[in-house]
């Protein structure tokens, strides 16, 4: 049996081999935590999301940041030991759905592994940060691949997956020799077109029978392994969490149906060979972006009187699964949230009992719970063996999902999910703007009353892993507010929030014992370690990830920008300096008067459509967005608009070139649309200014538009 919890060091992202985010350190207690204060902080010089949990070994803290940059610091002082600033092809942003986040490093035997947004896996020297080897994990596939996940070491190989199931990707993981970087094996998570020849292995031959032979093989099928890859030394297995299907709806992806293995599954692989040991599919025939990619927790629980090696998993689909690590058999599955895509999980077969009357949006708009952001997403949970509870961020929220009939042509490196979605918190405001037949259909749905009642909420919960029951809950500020969790043997729960607080709770009662206002939005999981007899707690701060350009108004990132930082606390530490508040908004500058002044309504409509198809996933055009608000372009930006959009003038800053996809007249149409928006918002804001009102009124533009 594996020892639960990290000790003085925190050598793995999840703390221990089980990934419990539990520490055996006990210096910081409920009694003394009131004196917790800042030991040191470290600026990351980025305003993008921070999702990694640092690793600490022998007084050295190592972590990754935006797009796969990495840093090693003295864990007691924050002094920089080395910094890894690889050259990254920012064109990768064209196919990055969810920010330039990176979920961490793996450290093993003097090597640090990190993967960059453009899919290069690096092995670095732990002491110096020098590159030992590098491997192009995307192999120049020409597909919409990116990478945001942490590598995982399994014996003498290191594994990495990739992102892009909303684009045109056939998901896979690859194992590289830890010493040389030579590729050992690759496991594709979904089959290829059977007409193109035999599958890569017998398990995929089995999988292909669960797909329509006429599936959308051109799109790739999805199944990206964009987050959890977990090595289990007890059973010498690597568990991978497989992502959603592409296109989203099975009726489009695999029209005749089928489970579409291994989408939305946990697959146990042999680290030597890459062959399947067992698999468990959480969402057969996924149509809802119900990835199974979230972090897993490996531990041992007493089940029906027997000490059982289990894997705990709370994926997007709303259930908490307890799976037998010996064979992949389902032991428990309990819903954590209101969900309507199934009437329950059959304990005998392990299969969900589907409710297409609620959730099949191929026959009309449906309000489906949970929504695509998931009841849980990548934010790590913590399992605390002392309380026996599982602590994590749980989101009660749904979304309206719709699709147009027929198949869309394949879009190379484009978004091919072919479904529209509107999150339930936005739905009452958005619905009146939708076509009247949609409005009527939505109001006739049984879930509409739930939406009107506004029952959505985000909570930090302490959960009984075997029943799914909530023992206590603490509210987050809104649905975009959730974070990773750390627990310790002294009975504490640590979790930050997007408002900018670093919170410490009593593990038993949920009482809030300490809350430090850091002025920095926190979504990552904290970790803890001890150096020279002092216990430190570290967390990375920075809002981002899915929906990153939509900065919630309650967030520190809204009030004070979003400067990424590593924050490290200890007992008796000092004040945490907060970044300055942003100055009040000025009205949008005037757009050049003569520019596209006579653009036709057709041109503007064309520009608008192109903007929402290609640009809106990064440019929310809201106040205080992380990416430029294109309604506020300065005169010079208008001058160089086409150089930026078509020639890649700002590719180094993260704005990719679209010259291969958009013609000059497309760029002009987008520009004309944006100028119209700029003129409109300027008029509104000048009026507000005249009335002495704040300019940042809640925006009518909402998040749910991708
Ligand atoms: O299907 C994919 O390949 C993919 C990748 C990623 C990613 O790499 O971050 C996310 C998602 N999907 C996704 O569905 C999702 O909700 C999501 C949230 C986040 C985040 O970092 O907050 N990433 C992703
Ligand atoms: Ca996805």
């Amino acid at each position: 049996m594996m020892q639960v919890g990290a000790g003085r060091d925190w050598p793995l992202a999840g703390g221990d081999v089980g990934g419990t985010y539990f520490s055996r350190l006990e210096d910081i207690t409920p009694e003394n935590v009131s004196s917790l204060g800042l030991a040191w902080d470290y600026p990351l010089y980025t305003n993008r999301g921070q999702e990694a949990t640092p690793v600490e070994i022998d007084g050295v803290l190592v972590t990754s940041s935006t797009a796969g940059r990495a840093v090693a610091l003295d864990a007691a002082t924050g002094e920089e030991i080395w910094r890894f600033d690889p050259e990254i092809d920012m064109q990768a942003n064209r196919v990055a759905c969810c920010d330039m986040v990176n979920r961490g490093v793996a450290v093993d035997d003097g090597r640090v592994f990190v993967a960059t947004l453009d899919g290069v896996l690096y092995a670095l020297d732990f002491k110096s940060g020098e590159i030992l080897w590098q491997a192009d994990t995307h192999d120049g596939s020409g597909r919409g691949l990116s990478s945001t996940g942490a590598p995982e070491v399994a014996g003498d190989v290191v594994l990495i997956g990739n992102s892009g199931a909303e684009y045109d990707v056939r998901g896979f993981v690859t194992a590289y020799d830890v010493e040389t970087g030579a590729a050992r094996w690759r496991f594709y998570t979904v089959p290829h077109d059977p007409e193109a020849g035999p599958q890569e292995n017998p398990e995929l031959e089995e999988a292909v029978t669960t797909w329509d032979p006429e599936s959308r093989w051109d799109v790739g099928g999805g199944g990206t392994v964009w987050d959890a890859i977990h090595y289990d030394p007890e059973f010498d297995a690597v568990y991978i969490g497989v992502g959603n299907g592409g296109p989203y709806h099975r009726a489009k992806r695999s029209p005749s149906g089928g489970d579409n293995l291994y989408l939305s599954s946990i697959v146990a692989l042999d680290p030597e060979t890459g062959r399947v040991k067992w698999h468990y599919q959480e969402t057969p025939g996924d149509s809802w972006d119900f990835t199974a990619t979230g972090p897993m927790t490996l531990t041992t629980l007493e089940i029906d009187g027997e000490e059982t090696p289990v894997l705990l998993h709370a994926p997007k689909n709303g259930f908490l699964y307890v799976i037998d690590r010996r064979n992949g058999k389902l032991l428990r599955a309990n819903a954590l949230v209101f969900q309507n895509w199934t009437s329950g999980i059959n304990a005998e077969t392990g299969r969900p009992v589907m409710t297409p009357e609620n959730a099949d949006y191929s026959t009309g708009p449906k309000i489906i719970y949970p929504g695509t952001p998931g009841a849980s997403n990548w934010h790590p949970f913590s399992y605390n063996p002392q309380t026996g509870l599982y602590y994590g961020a749980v989101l009660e929220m749904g979304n309206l999902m719709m699709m147009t009939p027929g198949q869309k042509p394949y879009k190379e490196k484009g978004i091919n999910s072919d479904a529209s979605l509107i999150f339930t918190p936005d739905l009452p405001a958005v619905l009146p703007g939708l076509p009247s037949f949609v409005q009527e259909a939505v109001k006739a749905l049984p879930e509409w009353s739930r939406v009107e009642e506004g029952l959505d909420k985000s909570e930090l919960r302490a959960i009984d892993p075997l029943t799914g029951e909530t023992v206590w809950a603490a509210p987050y500020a809104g649905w975009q507010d959730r974070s990773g969790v750390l627990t310790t043997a002294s009975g504490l729960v640590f979790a930050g929030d997007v408002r900018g607080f670093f919170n410490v709770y009593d593990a038993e009662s949920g009482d809030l014992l300490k809350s430090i206002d850091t002025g920095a939005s926190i979504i990552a999981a904290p970790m803890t370690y001890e150096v020279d007899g002092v216990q430190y707690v570290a967390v990375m701060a920075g809002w981002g990830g899915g929906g990153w350009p939509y900065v919630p108004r309650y967030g520190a990132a809204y009030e004070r920008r979003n400067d990424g930082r590593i924050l490290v606390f200890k007992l008796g530490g000092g004040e945490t300096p907060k970044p300055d508040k942003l100055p009040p908004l000025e009205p949008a500058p005037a757009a050049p008067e003569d520019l596209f002044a006579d653009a036709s309504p057709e041109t503007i409509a064309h520009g608008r459509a192109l903007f929402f198809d290609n640009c809106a996933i990064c440019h929310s055009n809201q106040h205080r967005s992380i990416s430029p608000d294109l309604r506020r372009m300065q005169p010079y930006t208008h001058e160089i608009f086409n150089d930026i959009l078509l020639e890649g003038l700002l590719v180094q800053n993260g704005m990719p070139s679209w010259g291969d996809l958009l013609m000059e007249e497309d760029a002009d149409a987008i520009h004309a649309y944006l100028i119209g928006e700029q003129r409109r918002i300027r008029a509104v804001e000048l009026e507000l200014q005249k009335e002495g009102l704040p300019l940042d009124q809640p925006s009518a533009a909402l998040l749910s538009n991708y």
Side-chain angles (χ1 to χ4, degrees), residues 29 72 146 334 375 388 416 472 502 505 559 586 595 638 689 693:
T29 66
S146 58
N334 290 291
N416 285 285
W472 59 258
F502 188 62
Y505 303 87
E559 197 178 21
E586 296 286 328
L595 207 54
H638 285 287
Q689 191 183 43
L693 294 169

Side-chain angles (χ1 to χ4, degrees), residues 51 98 103 148 163-166 224 226 244 289 316 377-378 545-546:
E51 298 188 352
C98 305
R103 289 187 206 84
T148 61
S163 312
E166 274 71 37
T224 46
W226 58 266
N244 58 277
D289 189 16
K316 279 187 178 182
N377 199 304
W378 61 268

Side-chain angles (χ1 to χ4, degrees), residues 20-370:
T20 59
Y21 290 82
F22 170 75
S23 167
R24 301 192 306 275
L25 296 183
E26 293 184 309
D27 288 357
I28 304 173
T29 66
E31 289 70 38
N32 65 22
V33 71
S34 61
S35 88
L36 195 71
L38 194 76
W40 54 265
D41 65 344
Y42 177 86
L44 292 161
Y45 303 108
T46 168
N47 66 347
R48 295 301 198 100
Q50 303 304 323
E51 298 188 352
T53 304
V55 159
E56 186 277 342
I57 296 168
D58 295 337
V60 177
L61 181 144
V62 184
T63 194
S64 68
S65 175
T66 307
R69 296 175 191 133
V71 64
L73 306 170
D74 182 313
T77 64
E79 201 183 319
E80 191 176 295
I81 299 168
W82 53 257
R83 201 160 59 174
F84 175 61
D85 226 336
E87 220 165 275
I88 295 163
D89 179 5
M90 288 294 177
Q91 197 64 20
N93 267 326
R94 269 268 291 271
V95 292
C97 70
C98 305
D99 202 350
M100 308 195 322
V101 294
N102 190 279
R103 289 187 206 84
V105 299
V107 179
D108 183 64
D109 199 17
R111 298 185 191 91
V112 176
F113 301 99
V114 65
T116 52
L117 186 72
D118 59 346
V120 181
L121 176 65
Y122 288 92
L124 309 174
D125 182 85
F126 181 80
K127 289 222 161 74
S128 67
E130 265 163 47
I131 299 173
L132 300 172
W133 55 258
Q134 69 191 74
D136 172 10
T137 71
H138 294 167
D139 296 343
S141 75
R143 291 265 158 174
L145 287 157
S146 58
S147 288
T148 61
E152 174 87 349
V153 174
D156 58 1
V157 291
V158 53
L159 287 99
I160 185 71
N162 48 59
S163 312
E166 274 71 37
Y167 295 84
D168 58 348
V169 167
R170 178 184 179 212
F172 56 85
V173 292
T174 317
Y176 296 88
D177 185 297
V178 286
E179 255 175 59
T180 64
R184 286 272 199 84
W185 51 261
R186 172 167 290 177
F187 177 75
Y188 284 95
T189 60
V190 295
H192 62 240
D193 184 350
E195 299 237 309
Q199 303 295 329
E200 285 82 353
N201 61 50
E203 292 85 3
L204 282 172
E205 291 296 352
E206 190 187 313
V208 79
T209 64
T210 68
W211 291 71
D212 186 335
E214 303 299 319
S215 289
R216 285 299 299 266
W217 307 113
D218 54 344
V219 169
T224 46
V225 182
W226 58 266
D227 191 19
I229 303 175
H230 205 128
Y231 178 56
D232 181 348
E234 225 173 339
F235 296 97
D236 194 28
V238 178
Y239 309 123
I240 61 169
V242 182
N244 58 277
Y248 274 0
H249 202 294
R250 185 179 60 178
K252 300 219 170 192
R253 188 177 61 242
S254 171
S256 66
D259 286 351
N260 291 187
L261 289 170
Y262 295 93
L263 291 179
S264 194
S265 301
I266 294 184
V267 183
L269 299 173
D270 182 327
E272 278 291 307
T273 61
R275 298 288 299 278
V276 177
K277 291 188 164 202
W278 56 254
H279 65 91
Y280 176 75
Q281 189 173 37
E282 294 174 335
T283 314
D286 164 52
S287 294
W288 309 279
D289 189 16
F290 281 168
T291 70
T293 51
M296 308 160 193
T297 308
L298 316 183
T299 190
T300 306
L301 294 179
E302 190 184 314
I303 298 183
D304 304 329
E306 191 200 344
E307 287 295 317
T308 311
V310 297
L311 184 158
L312 305 178
H313 199 228
K316 279 187 178 182
N317 76 15
F319 284 84
L320 170 55
Y321 295 88
V322 183
I323 295 166
D324 193 327
R325 283 188 276 133
R326 293 171 297 201
N327 50 27
K329 195 173 167 305
L330 182 73
L331 299 170
R332 296 284 187 280
N334 290 291
L336 294 179
V337 293
F338 172 73
Q339 62 79 30
N340 68 348
W341 64 277
T342 146
S343 60
I345 314 277
N346 181 316
E348 283 303 304
T349 62
R351 291 181 66 88
V353 183
M354 302 304 234
T355 47
E357 63 279 18
N358 298 337
D360 179 2
Y361 56 98
S362 70
T363 54
K366 293 278 159 61
I367 299 171
I368 295 136
Y369 289 87

